[in-house]
Amino acid sequence: MHAQELFCLDPSSNYGFVNIDVINDSLIFLDPSRFHRNVQNFNGDLALEKIFDFCETVLHFYETGEKSQAKQLLQYSGENNLLHFGMSSGKSAGKGFSEDGLKKVFDTISQLSKLDDEERNDINVWSIVIPGFGEDHLSDLSISLVGQEIADYSESVYKKLGIATSARMEKVGNTWDVKSHCFVDARSCLPIVEGKPYRILLCPTQLAVKRYGYSTQSFINKIVLAHKQTEGFNNGSLVREKKLKNGSVKKTPFSKKDLQEKELKKYSGDTYKYKQYALDEIIKYPKYLDELPEGIGLENDNDINSFC
C-alpha cells in the first residue's frame, strides 16, 4: 500500500509529496543539496542552517578534544522508519562508523579544517571524503537533522487535503536544534486512518532523488581526473606518443584508468585511498566542488521503486 491509497486520494494526480510505500522501504534518498529550492511549507533555510550547525558542532567537539561527543554524533544514523526511505526494508544501512574506521574518520575531520567554513561544514563534502559515509548514511542523517521540518511539511499536507489529525502531538523522530546544538524530539500530529493515528511522514517530491549525482569514485573520475587529463595533455606532461608508419607521431592523453593508477600510487595500502585522494584534491582545488552534478530526481510523486 502507498500513501495516496492510504489517504484515499486520486492516484492520477500529483500532490507534491513522494507516494511512499507505507510498508516497505523505497529506493530513494533525501538530498540535502536540494534544500535551497523553494518548496512550499518546507523551511529550506532552517534545514540548511541545521546541516551547517551539525557539521560545525562535530568539528568543534573534535578540535576541543571532546572526541567522545563527536563520536556520539557521528555514530547517530537515526534512520526514520516513518519515511520509508533507504536501501532495504527492515535494514538500516546507515549503521554509523565501526571502531576501526573511527580513527580514519577523525583523521579526515582534522584535515577538513584546511577548508573554508562553507566547504568544511557541507555534508555533501563529508559524504565524498569521510570513510563509511555512504549514500544511505547521508540520507538517514539528513532526515534526522531536519526531522521537524519534514514533520511540519507533513502536517501542512494533511491540512491542505482535509485529512484529520490527532489532537495530541507525538514524537515522530529526531531533529537537530541549532540553539542547544544537539538532537531533540521531532513532534507532530499524526493523520487519522480508520479512526486511529497512523505513524507516517511525507517528503516533498522535489527533495527526493533516486540516486545522488556523485559518489567518491564518480567525483574522482568525472571531475578530478577529467581536469588532470585535459591539463596534462595541453601542457604536455601527460601525453602518450605513438609513432605511425608514415613516420609521424600521434599524441593522445593518458587514459583515466592509467591516470588514476598513477595518481593513487602513493596511497597504496590505504584502505580508504579513494576517500583520502578525493579529500587531498578538494583541499588543493576546492573549486572542484562547484562542478558536483545534481542527483537524479523523481519525475512525479509515483516515480519510486520499493523493496518487497
Side-chain angles (χ1 to χ4, degrees):
M1 179 182 288
H2 290 76
Q4 291 180 8
E5 181 182 357
L6 180 73
F7 298 133
C8 301
L9 300 175
D10 179 2
S12 65
S13 299
N14 273 316
Y15 299 93
F17 64 85
V18 180
N19 188 24
I20 56 169
D21 186 324
V22 299
I23 298 174
N24 302 303
D25 280 1
S26 297
L27 188 58
I28 46 180
F29 309 96
L30 183 67
D31 187 350
S33 69
R34 293 176 168 235
F35 289 170
H36 69 278
R37 298 189 175 196
N38 185 20
V39 178
Q40 189 175 18
N41 297 317
F42 180 85
N43 193 336
D45 290 339
L46 181 55
L48 287 170
E49 184 182 355
K50 288 185 173 187
I51 296 287
F52 187 94
D53 188 71
F54 169 81
C55 294
E56 192 171 53
T57 301
V58 172
L59 289 167
H60 171 75
F61 280 143
Y62 176 81
E63 291 168 352
T64 56
E66 299 179 78
K67 291 187 178 181
S68 62
Q69 296 275 30
K71 173 184 174 182
Q72 184 177 0
L73 293 179
L74 286 171
Q75 293 281 42
Y76 194 97
S77 65
E79 183 180 14
N80 192 318
N81 293 326
L82 302 189
L83 202 56
H84 294 284
F85 282 16
M87 296 295 291
S88 59
S89 180
K91 174 186 176 184
S92 175
K95 296 177 181 177
F97 302 93
S98 68
E99 290 295 329
D100 292 339
L102 273 173
K103 182 181 182 301
K104 184 62 178 176
V105 169
F106 284 130
D107 286 345
T108 301
I109 288 176
S110 68
Q111 294 176 70
L112 287 172
S113 61
K114 299 175 184 177
L115 297 171
D116 291 339
D117 284 351
E118 185 177 351
E119 288 112 16
R120 74 198 292 257
N121 295 329
D122 186 340
I123 201 170
N124 300 289
V125 175
W126 286 33
S127 70
I128 293 173
V129 304
I130 291 183
F133 206 115
E135 61 182 3
D136 217 42
H137 194 116
L138 173 60
S139 182
D140 286 347
L141 182 54
S142 298
I143 291 169
S144 292
L145 291 171
V146 302
Q148 190 60 57
E149 286 61 52
I150 292 174
D152 291 345
Y153 168 80
S154 300
E155 274 202 73
S156 74
V157 172
Y158 308 145
K159 182 178 180 180
K160 180 180 179 180
L161 297 177
I163 299 170
T165 58
S166 58
R168 185 179 66 181
M169 298 186 77
E170 298 187 32
K171 178 180 177 180
V172 291
N174 303 285
T175 195
W176 185 256
D177 182 69
V178 296
K179 293 182 179 179
S180 59
H181 310 295
C182 65
F183 283 103
V184 296
D185 290 349
R187 306 188 69 82
S188 176
C189 294
L190 297 171
I192 301 297
V193 177
E194 296 182 350
K196 298 179 181 179
Y198 194 95
R199 297 186 61 76
I200 188 175
L201 287 173
L202 304 174
C203 175
T205 303
Q206 290 187 59
L207 304 183
V209 294
K210 291 185 283 188
R211 188 171 72 240
Y212 290 113
Y214 55 85
S215 64
T216 303
Q217 192 64 57
S218 68
F219 171 74
I220 291 172
N221 287 337
K222 296 181 179 180
I223 298 177
V224 178
L225 296 182
H227 274 281
K228 291 181 179 292
Q229 187 182 48
T230 300
E231 292 168 6
F233 181 71
N234 290 339
N235 63 30
S237 63
L238 295 171
V239 176
R240 298 287 192 195
E241 294 187 348
K242 180 180 180 181
K243 191 171 184 179
L244 303 179
K245 291 181 179 180
N246 62 8
S248 63
V249 176
K250 181 181 181 181
K251 295 183 178 182
T252 58
F254 268 43
S255 69
K256 286 184 180 178
K257 180 180 178 181
D258 291 342
L259 184 54
Q260 177 172 289
E261 185 177 337
K262 178 179 182 297
E263 288 284 300
L264 270 68
K265 189 173 183 180
K266 68 176 181 179
Y267 298 90
S268 178
D270 187 342
T271 304
Y272 305 104
K273 60 183 179 182
Y274 297 106
K275 294 273 188 179
Q276 185 61 53
Y277 176 69
L279 175 59
D280 290 345
E281 291 301 312
I282 289 173
I283 291 173
K284 288 189 289 186
Y285 309 106
K287 286 294 183 182
Y288 283 158
L289 297 173
D290 295 338
E291 300 180 37
L292 289 177
E294 286 215 345
I296 299 177
L298 278 60
E299 295 182 4
N300 54 59
D301 298 346
N302 297 294
D303 188 20
I304 61 174
N305 292 314
S306 300
F307 290 97
C308 299

